[in-house]
């Protein structure tokens, strides 16, 4: 299952705490319609039917079934630059 770094949890939690985001909202990762091999990231008010829901310390991530399969062994990280722009990155989970 996709895991989240502490930084990703903080960024997602801060973004979903905005007044315009529904209390049930979260970050959704799904294949893009025209390029299924490419994943899109965006905020949505609730998970869609069939989405895998990951909740960690108040951060919610919704994974489309295809994305959940592709990201099963990945870790999601986030970075905020000096301008406040956010970038999400994927890496491999460390082996135990």
């Amino acid at each position: 299952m996709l895991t989240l770094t502490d930084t990703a949890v903080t960024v997602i939690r801060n973004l979903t705490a905005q007044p315009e985001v529904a209390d049930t909202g979260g970050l959704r990762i799904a294949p893009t319609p025209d390029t299924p091999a490419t994943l899109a990231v965006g905020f949505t008010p609730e998970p869609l039917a069939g989405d895998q829901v990951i909740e960690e310390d108040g951060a919610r991530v919704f994974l489309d079934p295809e994305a959940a399969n592709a990201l099963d062994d990945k870790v999601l990280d986030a970075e905020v630059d000096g301008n406040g722009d956010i970038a999400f990155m994927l890496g491999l989970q460390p082996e135990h």
Side-chain angles (χ1 to χ4, degrees), residues 17-90:
Q18 301 301 313
E20 64 273 10
V21 178
D23 289 342
T24 56
L27 181 78
R28 185 164 193 271
I29 303 174
T32 57
D34 28 334
T35 315
T38 302
L39 296 175
V41 177
F43 284 92
T44 186
E46 61 187 17
L48 299 180
D51 279 358
Q52 180 181 94
V53 178
I54 299 169
E55 292 191 59
E56 190 171 322
D57 293 329
R60 288 177 301 282
V61 177
F62 311 137
L63 299 175
D64 168 272
E66 288 182 47
N69 188 42
L71 302 177
D72 190 47
D73 62 346
K74 306 292 187 287
V75 60
L76 180 68
D77 196 6
E79 183 178 280
V80 181
D81 69 16
N83 296 324
D85 294 326
I86 299 167
F88 288 101
M89 292 91 46
L90 291 168

